[in-house]
Amino acid sequence: MTIDYAEKIPNNVELASNRTLQRALEHWQPEFQHWWADMGPEGTRTADVYLRTAISVEPKGWAHFDYVKMPDYRWGIFLAPAEADRKVNFGAHKGEPAWQEVPGEYRSNLRRLIVTQGDTEPASVEQQRHLGLTCPSLYDLRNLFQVNVEEGRHLWAMVYLLHAYFGRDGREEAEALLERRSGDADNPRILGAFNEKTPDWLAFFMFTYFTDRDGKYQLCSLAESGFDPLARTCRFMLTEEAHHMFVGESGVGRIIQRTCEAMVQHKVDNPAKVRALGLIDLPTIQRYLNFHFSVTMDLFGADVSSNAATFYSTGLKGRFDETKIGDDHVLTGATYPVLEVREGKLVTTQAPALNALNEKLRDDYVKDALAGIERWNKLIDRSGVAFRLKAPHKAFNRRIGPLSSARIDPDGNVVSEADWTHRHLEWLPSEADRAFVASLMGRVTEPGRFANWIAPPARGINNQPVDFEYVRFN
Ligand SMILES: [Fe+2]
Ligand SMILES: [Fe+2]
């Protein structure tokens, strides 16, 4: 199925045949464009950006690359193809046909899941809106904008579900999604990590590596939903998400590569001397990693959660790779290990598996995140520098759940408040670290040139050369 680009809102959901829905979305569209003008990438209205636009949901050739002015980007609504005879695959309704309409008794929980997911999409655009002013290259600038427009499209995806399936309260929620603001004292975004600042490009790459990966795991569990339109929407969003994580992994990797090459070339390993070369030292990269890893841990929610149990039992949100798991997909009586602080130590206890689903998803995520950290370590190894990056313990620096009541170091030891005060800046970026990284952020816009602190990528986007003019300023 291809998308009809003649329509005001590109879509593969036969919008033209539903006048009421079409009108509701056409009413929301200018509000979205106002939001984009207000809160989208700063100072970029007239730039032509070499962007990927989704034009179909076919695995081959789903995207089209061309120069676009971002305000004219065709944000559309695409659902992955329906699976014939799809069933609810878990929970109390296991085996029943998947729902094509919202089951009345689960309406408010389902809406809440969609709104929570939807809220993260514009939030990250808001968090990243200043970064274009300090881009390390045109290639990176283009990648930032690609992530931004696709987060915009993900907002459209959730707004479509709200408008199409939730009537008046769905429309109100869709408007509220454009009213909350990341970091706003009075009307913040829903989840903590989406109210943090993304002040520099190291933070941006860490965010896209760690936090967009949380997005992947949330989307994967929603892609298992018994509510079929949500499942299909999320499945298509995942195709775009892969690039966001690539931007993060390769971005951090290129910073590491540049730092290590210079460390070897100049025979320095003292962080101050590395900084004197205008490069980001590896311990600072580790502290940023600790920060982004830990705020992302909190996005999975409380370790033991009755909401998580409800979402699962009612068939709304499954586990990662639900249908590939060889158990009964109901989980009554099953248990799962969770952490607790007892007598000054972290101990593992068994919780009902249904209540520990946030923890299970967090563990699945951690496995995936660790693999990329090892790929970064390979880059360090290959350069000959003796240093290893490490993920902190999943209990480190938590703000949500029972672990937030204790101070836990990156190795998983419970430490006193005094120790934490004394040592936390060994573990987390200080104001001085952030100020140093900020001091490196300039603006490089000559095709093929890269800021001193980052290596060029191995290859360009869509088979274009690295020195391609990915953004044209007019
Ligand atoms: Fe997204
Ligand atoms: Fe993303």
Side-chain angles (χ1 to χ4, degrees):
M1 206 188 310
T2 50
I3 277 83
D4 183 357
Y5 266 78
E7 288 183 63
K8 222 171 171 182
I9 301 162
N11 70 92
N12 72 345
V13 294
E14 286 166 43
L15 203 51
S17 67
N18 186 339
R19 289 296 301 152
T20 322
L21 174 59
Q22 195 184 8
R23 248 178 271 127
L25 284 164
E26 283 175 0
H27 178 74
W28 187 82
Q29 189 179 37
E31 294 175 23
F32 169 82
Q33 279 157 342
H34 281 145
W35 168 81
W36 182 268
D38 248 25
M39 295 310 295
E42 215 174 286
T44 54
R45 295 196 67 83
T46 57
D48 289 307
V49 189
Y50 187 70
L51 290 174
R52 162 174 98 175
T53 302
I55 50 158
S56 103
V57 294
E58 301 300 325
K60 277 184 189 159
W62 62 273
H64 171 73
F65 286 80
D66 206 351
Y67 285 103
V68 192
K69 289 186 181 38
M70 280 191 287
D72 305 331
Y73 190 77
R74 304 299 308 271
W75 285 283
I77 300 163
F78 311 116
L79 270 60
E83 216 177 278
D85 304 321
R86 184 165 178 267
K87 301 274 193 293
V88 180
N89 294 314
F90 57 91
H93 299 281
K94 197 184 117 188
E96 296 174 18
W99 305 303
Q100 300 306 327
E101 292 298 330
V102 175
E105 71 264 52
Y106 305 143
R107 184 186 162 86
S108 70
N109 274 341
L110 193 52
R111 192 182 59 215
R112 179 165 159 201
L113 282 170
I114 293 168
V115 166
T116 307
Q117 178 61 43
D119 192 66
T120 66
E121 315 289 357
S124 67
V125 175
E126 293 168 0
Q127 288 171 294
Q128 295 162 14
R129 67 182 303 256
H130 304 299
L131 290 170
L133 305 177
T134 58
C135 60
S137 71
L138 286 187
Y139 166 89
D140 290 291
L141 185 62
R142 178 262 164 218
N143 283 351
L144 166 71
F145 292 159
Q146 184 70 62
V147 171
N148 292 159
V149 292
E150 285 174 349
E151 300 307 2
R153 205 200 67 71
H154 291 176
L155 171 61
W156 271 93
M158 293 298 117
V159 164
Y160 160 73
L161 294 175
L162 290 169
H163 275 163
Y165 296 96
F166 293 89
R168 175 200 271 276
D169 44 336
R171 289 195 293 278
E172 284 168 4
E173 292 286 7
E175 284 177 16
L177 285 169
L178 297 175
E179 285 159 9
R180 284 185 286 274
R181 290 286 181 272
S182 176
D184 191 282
D186 301 322
N187 196 12
R189 291 295 170 185
I190 296 170
L191 300 170
F194 291 90
N195 288 303
E196 300 282 350
K197 286 203 165 71
T198 311
D200 58 64
W201 280 76
L202 178 56
F204 170 64
F205 292 136
M206 289 289 180
F207 184 98
T208 41
Y209 183 78
F210 288 108
T211 308
D212 282 78
R213 189 175 312 272
D214 160 69
K216 168 185 162 182
Y217 280 78
Q218 300 301 338
L219 292 177
C220 281
S221 355
L222 294 173
E224 303 286 348
S225 181
F227 179 52
D228 203 41
L230 175 60
R232 291 172 57 199
T233 304
C234 291
R235 250 193 295 144
F236 186 66
M237 289 161 77
L238 282 161
T239 24
E240 291 160 325
E241 207 60 52
H243 177 67
H244 306 180
M245 291 179 288
F246 160 81
V247 168
E249 180 168 344
S250 59
V252 175
R254 287 160 53 215
I255 297 175
I256 290 171
Q257 187 192 334
R258 176 72 184 106
T259 296
C260 290
E261 279 168 5
M263 286 171 74
V264 171
Q265 188 194 344
H266 297 273
K267 301 194 175 61
V268 290
D269 58 5
N270 178 313
K273 289 190 175 155
V274 173
R275 287 188 178 194
L277 295 169
L279 303 171
I280 306 176
D281 55 292
L282 299 174
T284 298
I285 295 175
Q286 176 69 66
R287 288 191 287 276
Y288 268 69
L289 186 162
N290 289 347
F291 174 78
H292 287 274
F293 184 91
S294 60
V295 298
T296 305
M297 287 292 91
D298 275 337
L299 284 176
F300 291 88
D303 316 44
V304 175
S305 159
S306 57
N307 279 332
T310 305
F311 293 153
Y312 186 84
S313 300
T314 54
L316 303 184
K317 181 180 178 185
R319 289 171 292 178
F320 176 67
D321 272 348
E322 180 68 46
T323 49
K324 294 184 193 150
I325 301 175
D327 61 18
D328 68 359
H329 305 277
V330 182
L331 305 180
T332 5
T335 61
Y336 192 82
V338 293
L339 291 171
E340 253 177 48
V341 178
R342 257 191 223 161
E343 291 161 16
K345 276 208 166 78
L346 273 183
V347 294
T348 303
T349 60
Q350 294 295 322
L354 274 175
N355 295 75
L357 286 166
N358 290 342
E359 188 67 1
K360 159 101 174 86
L361 193 61
R362 184 161 25 236
D363 289 340
D364 289 332
Y365 166 92
V366 168
K367 248 181 264 160
D368 189 11
L370 289 181
I373 295 175
E374 278 320 299
R375 288 189 289 274
W376 291 335
N377 278 327
K378 285 222 175 72
L379 294 174
I380 303 177
D381 284 349
R382 252 183 264 144
S383 74
V385 169
F387 190 93
R388 284 192 72 72
L389 291 166
K390 219 179 128 196
H393 195 282
K394 66 178 174 178
F396 169 70
N397 193 34
R398 293 287 296 280
R399 305 258 173 89
I400 287 177
L403 300 175
S404 63
S405 64
R407 293 298 196 180
I408 296 164
D409 76 9
D411 294 321
N413 304 304
V414 179
V415 298
S416 67
E417 194 61 41
D419 273 346
W420 177 269
T421 308
H422 191 61
R423 298 193 60 197
H424 75 281
L425 295 183
E426 288 169 38
W427 305 324
L428 292 167
S430 64
E431 285 308 312
D433 289 335
R434 292 196 184 277
F436 170 71
V437 174
S439 76
L440 298 182
M441 300 292 123
R443 187 165 198 249
V444 179
T445 55
E446 194 184 305
R449 261 201 64 210
F450 287 80
N452 176 54
W453 50 268
I454 190 165
R459 58 190 68 79
I461 293 294
N462 192 38
N463 296 319
Q464 298 291 356
V466 170
D467 63 0
F468 185 70
E469 193 173 10
Y470 288 102
V471 181
R472 288 184 190 144
F473 299 97
N474 296 305

mmCIF file of all heavy atoms in Angstrom, residues 121 124 147 151 154 212 240-241 244, ligand 2:
data_model
loop_
_atom_site.group_PDB
_atom_site.id
_atom_site.type_symbol
_atom_site.label_atom_id
_atom_site.label_comp_id
_atom_site.label_asym_id
_atom_site.label_seq_id
_atom_site.Cartn_x
_atom_site.Cartn_y
_atom_site.Cartn_z
ATOM 1 N N GLU A 121 7.263 12.063 22.429
ATOM 2 C CA GLU A 121 7.704 12.385 21.061
ATOM 3 C C GLU A 121 7.982 13.887 20.904
ATOM 4 O O GLU A 121 9.102 14.266 20.563
ATOM 5 C CB GLU A 121 6.676 11.884 20.035
ATOM 6 C CG GLU A 121 6.144 10.453 20.279
ATOM 7 C CD GLU A 121 7.171 9.361 20.011
ATOM 8 O OE1 GLU A 121 8.282 9.699 19.585
ATOM 9 O OE2 GLU A 121 6.855 8.170 20.232
ATOM 10 N N SER A 124 11.039 15.227 23.172
ATOM 11 C CA SER A 124 12.444 15.145 22.773
ATOM 12 C C SER A 124 12.781 16.218 21.725
ATOM 13 O O SER A 124 13.897 16.732 21.700
ATOM 14 C CB SER A 124 12.787 13.743 22.281
ATOM 15 O OG SER A 124 12.106 13.462 21.088
ATOM 16 N N VAL A 147 15.929 12.900 13.139
ATOM 17 C CA VAL A 147 15.343 12.397 14.384
ATOM 18 C C VAL A 147 14.162 13.298 14.780
ATOM 19 O O VAL A 147 13.073 12.819 15.094
ATOM 20 C CB VAL A 147 16.415 12.332 15.510
ATOM 21 C CG1 VAL A 147 15.770 12.027 16.859
ATOM 22 C CG2 VAL A 147 17.482 11.286 15.182
ATOM 23 N N GLU A 151 10.290 12.153 15.232
ATOM 24 C CA GLU A 151 9.587 12.221 16.518
ATOM 25 C C GLU A 151 8.263 12.982 16.307
ATOM 26 O O GLU A 151 7.252 12.635 16.888
ATOM 27 C CB GLU A 151 10.431 12.887 17.603
ATOM 28 C CG GLU A 151 11.757 12.202 17.933
ATOM 29 C CD GLU A 151 11.686 10.719 18.266
ATOM 30 O OE1 GLU A 151 10.592 10.121 18.221
ATOM 31 O OE2 GLU A 151 12.749 10.123 18.535
ATOM 32 N N HIS A 154 5.937 10.528 14.969
ATOM 33 C CA HIS A 154 5.466 9.617 16.020
ATOM 34 C C HIS A 154 4.358 10.269 16.848
ATOM 35 O O HIS A 154 3.430 9.598 17.305
ATOM 36 C CB HIS A 154 6.633 9.200 16.927
ATOM 37 C CG HIS A 154 7.617 8.317 16.225
ATOM 38 N ND1 HIS A 154 8.781 7.886 16.809
ATOM 39 C CD2 HIS A 154 7.587 7.774 14.981
ATOM 40 C CE1 HIS A 154 9.442 7.120 15.945
ATOM 41 N NE2 HIS A 154 8.736 7.043 14.834
ATOM 42 N N ASP A 212 16.216 6.820 23.339
ATOM 43 C CA ASP A 212 15.469 6.303 22.186
ATOM 44 C C ASP A 212 15.382 4.774 22.235
ATOM 45 O O ASP A 212 14.438 4.181 21.711
ATOM 46 C CB ASP A 212 16.080 6.759 20.855
ATOM 47 C CG ASP A 212 15.697 8.202 20.532
ATOM 48 O OD1 ASP A 212 16.298 9.102 21.124
ATOM 49 O OD2 ASP A 212 14.786 8.404 19.714
ATOM 50 N N GLU A 240 11.534 3.443 12.032
ATOM 51 C CA GLU A 240 12.214 4.740 12.113
ATOM 52 C C GLU A 240 13.151 4.805 13.321
ATOM 53 O O GLU A 240 14.216 5.394 13.267
ATOM 54 C CB GLU A 240 11.172 5.862 12.194
ATOM 55 C CG GLU A 240 10.410 6.022 10.889
ATOM 56 C CD GLU A 240 9.099 6.756 11.064
ATOM 57 O OE1 GLU A 240 8.455 6.582 12.108
ATOM 58 O OE2 GLU A 240 8.727 7.524 10.155
ATOM 59 N N GLU A 241 12.736 4.170 14.404
ATOM 60 C CA GLU A 241 13.493 4.240 15.661
ATOM 61 C C GLU A 241 14.923 3.711 15.494
ATOM 62 O O GLU A 241 15.851 4.208 16.134
ATOM 63 C CB GLU A 241 12.752 3.422 16.736
ATOM 64 C CG GLU A 241 13.011 3.886 18.152
ATOM 65 C CD GLU A 241 12.595 5.326 18.404
ATOM 66 O OE1 GLU A 241 11.449 5.678 18.097
ATOM 67 O OE2 GLU A 241 13.421 6.103 18.893
ATOM 68 N N HIS A 244 17.410 6.335 14.895
ATOM 69 C CA HIS A 244 17.678 7.215 16.040
ATOM 70 C C HIS A 244 18.767 6.592 16.925
ATOM 71 O O HIS A 244 19.681 7.273 17.380
ATOM 72 C CB HIS A 244 16.402 7.463 16.853
ATOM 73 C CG HIS A 244 15.267 7.970 16.011
ATOM 74 N ND1 HIS A 244 14.029 8.267 16.528
ATOM 75 C CD2 HIS A 244 15.184 8.228 14.671
ATOM 76 C CE1 HIS A 244 13.232 8.682 15.556
ATOM 77 N NE2 HIS A 244 13.915 8.647 14.418
HETATM 78 FE FE FE B 2 13.159 8.089 18.561
#
